Amino acid sequence: VMLQSLDKAGYLDPTPIQSGLIPRAMAGVDVMGQAQTGTGKTAAFAIPILERLGPRTKGGRPQALVLTPTRELAVQVRDEITKLSLGKRVRLLAVYGGKPIRKQTDVLHRGTDVIVGTPGRVIDHINRGNLKLEAIRCVVLDEADRMLDIGFRPDIEKILRRCPRSRQTLLLSATIPPPVMRLAKRYMRDPDMLDFSPKAVAVETIEQFYFTVDPQRKFELLVKLLRREDPQQALIFCRTKRGTDKVYNRLAKKFDGVAAIHGDLAQSVRDRVMSRFREGRIRYLVATDVVGRGIDVTSISHIINFDIPQFSDDYVHRVGRTGRMGREGVAYTFVTSEEGNELTRIEMR
């Protein structure tokens, strides 16, 4: 059944992380894997979860739990598991804030097999008695470094302490800083360490350029660049929510298929924008970093940093949104005269 769904999803050859992680996860061992997004890591843990699901438990208690840092990622992981569970009757639920809790509660009471969610909302359901963890056989911490950055550590620890000790834990993280290491030592059993991070920081298939430009001429440059490049789909990054709205409003007057996404928008609006972007109905998406990290769209050909990112790591994450799965991509960064230091930091990184 799994081979048929992989065939249908067009997954013919495993990516390195899939070849490395799947056999170990199938053997039931704990695995700590260092991997960026866009390497096929979701399928790497989704396949073992689906393959190792037992018969539905008494009272329909979940057997697998995937924790993600953001709602966008929760939705993405849920969709991937759904895609791979063709022909299997798997009950799957994504739980995250910004959606009415009652609807999620009803589904939980009816019984589920796999839960994907953000730590805050998962804890909420545990505290309300909606979510029972005693049947959990596998917990996945996806983008662990980022969950800790956001401040989810207490929630994650609470959740892990409530899961059976005999469970399997899979931890995936783009970087393994000391807090992630401490979490692994405390809650994992003798994990296998696998490193799938490319030795070079940015993907080789991405060409990177920068323009020096006066701050007040950035918008004019953006319009010229989009007309010259005529991208299949482009992500345009701004530093602030206000800046994002401003660029969006001006751009929408000149081009069709423009949308904006940032943390102040209601979750339902963000979901709608993202699904239209994935379907290709939105061509130019103006975004802030918060949302930028969770975006996984294979057809993005161009990344434009309208504002240079403050942190080099954010640059790596932004640029990594193009050239997904080995495709070609191009990134342009606009640099004003006083931003030389930021540019140097990025070049060094």
Side-chain angles (χ1 to χ4, degrees), residues 22-316:
I22 294 171
R24 285 170 166 155
M26 290 291 286
V29 295
D30 284 9
V31 182
M32 191 167 168
Q34 188 168 352
Q36 322 305 98
T37 50
T39 49
K41 71 178 162 73
T42 309
F45 62 74
I47 292 169
I49 284 176
L50 289 167
E51 288 291 277
R52 300 187 75 218
L53 277 183
R56 189 150 297 144
T57 60
K58 204 167 123 258
R61 292 182 174 173
Q63 298 178 45
L65 172 65
V66 183
L67 295 176
T68 68
T70 61
R71 312 170 220 196
E72 279 79 16
L73 196 60
V75 169
Q76 222 166 280
V77 170
R78 179 199 61 200
D79 294 348
E80 179 80 9
I81 298 177
T82 306
K83 184 161 82 180
L84 295 172
S85 65
L86 283 175
K88 268 190 159 174
R89 307 220 349 253
V90 178
R91 290 189 188 172
L92 187 63
L93 176 68
V95 300
Y96 46 88
K99 279 278 195 300
I101 201 154
R102 233 183 73 213
K103 215 164 147 191
Q104 296 175 5
T105 304
D106 294 345
V107 178
L108 283 167
H109 287 311
R110 287 204 299 274
T112 54
D113 301 308
V114 182
I115 302 278
V116 183
T118 50
R121 185 48 74 95
V122 168
I123 279 285
D124 208 355
H125 281 297
I126 293 171
N127 292 342
R128 289 164 187 254
N130 301 332
L131 179 52
K132 306 271 194 293
L133 300 178
E134 45 275 28
I136 293 284
R137 300 160 64 165
C138 178
V139 176
V140 179
L141 304 176
D142 192 11
E143 301 207 355
D145 51 352
R146 206 159 149 228
M147 287 199 284
L148 297 187
D149 280 348
I150 299 173
F152 278 136
R153 196 186 60 126
D155 287 348
I156 294 170
E157 295 201 358
K158 236 179 256 164
I159 293 165
L160 291 174
R161 282 200 296 270
R162 300 242 182 137
C163 290
R165 296 195 65 158
S166 58
R167 65 161 196 279
Q168 175 184 30
T169 312
L170 306 174
L171 181 150
L172 293 148
S173 198
T175 57
I176 312 269
V180 172
M181 223 35 207
R182 281 198 294 275
L183 191 72
K185 278 207 174 85
R186 197 173 299 162
Y187 294 100
M188 294 175 81
R189 284 176 313 181
D190 197 19
D192 276 5
M193 298 283 295
L194 304 177
D195 186 357
F196 302 103
S197 55
K199 291 302 160 254
V201 181
V203 189
E204 277 80 41
T205 55
I206 300 163
E207 288 194 274
Q208 300 166 62
F209 302 93
Y210 70 88
F211 289 100
T212 43
V213 57
D214 287 341
Q216 58 276 20
R217 299 193 64 192
K218 272 159 82 166
F219 184 75
E220 190 187 332
L221 174 61
L222 176 65
V223 172
K224 283 213 164 100
L225 188 60
L226 292 177
R227 294 213 164 117
R228 183 188 87 181
E229 292 287 309
D230 196 25
Q232 185 180 343
Q233 273 190 309
L235 244 176
I236 299 150
F237 280 106
C238 297
R239 200 174 281 182
T240 63
K241 297 165 195 173
R242 261 192 51 210
T244 301
D245 282 335
K246 221 159 114 186
V247 170
Y248 159 71
N249 287 323
R250 292 181 69 186
L251 208 56
K253 293 191 179 106
K254 295 190 179 287
F255 295 93
D256 291 334
V258 181
I261 190 166
H262 55 64
D264 275 359
L265 298 171
Q267 186 58 36
S268 54
V269 177
R270 280 156 65 170
D271 290 346
R272 214 167 38 244
V273 170
M274 275 318 301
S275 70
R276 286 174 53 220
F277 192 50
R278 280 200 191 94
E279 289 159 14
R281 289 190 291 164
I282 289 171
R283 194 169 169 200
Y284 302 117
L285 182 58
V286 191
T288 54
D289 282 307
V290 172
V291 200
R293 271 193 168 197
I295 293 174
D296 187 359
V297 178
T298 17
S299 53
I300 298 173
S301 53
H302 290 62
I303 298 288
I304 298 169
N305 293 311
F306 188 84
D307 296 318
I308 193 167
Q310 274 162 304
F311 305 105
S312 318
D313 275 1
D314 282 329
Y315 177 83
V316 175

